[in-house]
Amino acid sequence: MTAAPLPEPVPVQRLSRDELSELVDVMLRVGEAMLESGAAGQRTEQTMAQIGLGLGADRVELYVTPTGIIATAVSGHEQRTRVGRAGPPGVDMGKIIALNHLSRYIALLGGTLPAVRQQLAAIHDARREQPAWVTIPAVGVACAAFAQILGGGTVEFVAAGVGAALAQGVRLLLARLRVNAFALTVVCSFVASLVAALICLRLDAAYPEQALAASVLLMVPGVPLITSVLDFSSNDLVSGVTRGTLAFLLALSIGIGMVMTLWLTGLNIVP
């Protein structure tokens, strides 16, 4: 009895030199967008790797920090390495979710480089889900609610809400102008606390310190703090220390803005 002949091996499709270069460029664009939107380092690496492997690379090697990326893609005997630099960090969870969905789709079903470039352009150009006229009053109400949680009354509620809402409007404006994150935090904290302090002084609030503390809560660097912990938990010490330092400096900037308000108004909130 003779064995059936084995089927002929199917030749593996390898990426050309130009295709591999374009693939690395796409991976860098994805990684930079993830970092600029506030994603942790490990999540950024996973998203980039899924896209690179899904588009035909045999292997990808990535080194991600909060400000830069080194990406290598290998296909057959060809390999390409490029270095990318991420812009100022922000917070855009909608963009992170869209890029994650895209990477999982490509990992499961594959794709083509032109189609992925088109998808990335659509994600980049997409507007935020909530317009400014929704986020500004929402931020004001949230900070005002914290003023009451901290023990304030109606005056403190109003002061914190108005201050936070105005600061959020200034924040969106300065973000569009690409103002440095530390200068933006100082200015917005100053605006929020100054408005809250003036309302408290005008209406003779019993607990102005609660209003001032709640009015600047929108500036607390929650995302850098959380991603710093995530980076430490995945043994990414460089990213963890960098994001932790960023969070500390942003918190210090909040304090500078509040000190400017106390100096200008003469308000004493120390018991």
Side-chain angles (χ1 to χ4, degrees):
M1 182 176 180
T2 59
L6 295 175
E8 293 185 3
V10 178
V12 179
Q13 287 290 104
R14 302 294 185 185
L15 297 176
S16 67
R17 178 178 300 183
D18 292 338
E19 289 174 333
L20 200 57
S21 296
E22 188 177 358
L23 172 61
V24 175
D25 182 63
V26 167
M27 290 168 56
L28 284 177
R29 285 189 60 188
V30 171
E32 291 163 4
M34 291 283 289
L35 291 176
E36 291 169 7
S37 301
Q42 185 180 27
R43 193 172 190 181
T44 301
E45 288 184 8
Q46 290 174 347
T47 303
M48 294 176 65
Q50 286 177 329
I51 287 180
L53 296 174
L55 290 177
D58 296 334
R59 190 177 82 252
V60 296
E61 299 290 342
L62 303 165
Y63 181 71
V64 175
T65 71
T67 57
I69 302 171
I70 301 175
T72 298
V74 179
S75 179
H77 299 292
E78 293 283 350
Q79 78 171 37
R80 289 291 177 271
T81 299
R82 285 192 56 192
V83 178
R85 180 178 295 275
V91 179
D92 191 344
M93 294 301 161
K95 184 174 290 186
I96 293 175
I97 292 171
L99 291 170
N100 272 329
H101 286 169
L102 176 63
S103 69
R104 291 169 184 169
Y105 178 89
I106 293 172
L108 289 173
L109 302 176
T112 62
L113 287 167
V116 173
R117 280 192 175 277
Q118 187 176 3
Q119 287 291 324
L120 290 178
I123 292 172
H124 179 270
D125 296 336
R127 304 181 68 178
R128 287 179 176 266
E129 293 186 6
Q130 301 298 334
W133 63 267
V134 173
T135 58
I136 289 175
V139 167
V141 171
C143 291
F146 269 104
Q148 288 225 310
I149 292 173
L150 295 173
T154 303
V155 175
E156 289 82 5
F157 179 91
V158 173
V162 174
L166 289 176
Q168 176 66 7
V170 173
R171 182 186 197 177
L172 295 176
L173 175 62
L174 295 181
R176 269 192 237 107
L177 298 175
R178 298 186 177 275
V179 174
N180 176 275
F182 302 112
L184 182 149
T185 303
V186 171
V187 171
C188 293
S189 300
F190 173 67
V191 170
S193 57
L194 178 63
V195 172
L198 292 176
I199 293 176
C200 288
L201 290 173
R202 179 68 176 175
L203 301 179
D204 195 22
Y207 303 104
E209 61 274 13
Q210 272 82 352
L212 264 68
S215 68
V216 297
L217 285 178
L218 76 156
M219 305 307 302
V220 172
V223 171
L225 283 171
I226 294 172
T227 52
S228 174
V229 174
L230 293 175
D231 288 330
F232 277 123
S233 66
S234 61
N235 204 33
D236 189 352
L237 301 182
V238 173
S239 296
V241 170
T242 303
R243 294 181 195 276
T245 303
L246 173 63
F248 171 77
L249 293 176
L250 290 174
L252 183 63
S253 300
I254 295 174
I256 292 173
M258 295 185 70
V259 168
M260 291 169 59
T261 290
L262 297 177
W263 174 78
L264 187 63
T265 62
L267 187 65
N268 183 16
I269 61 173
V270 179

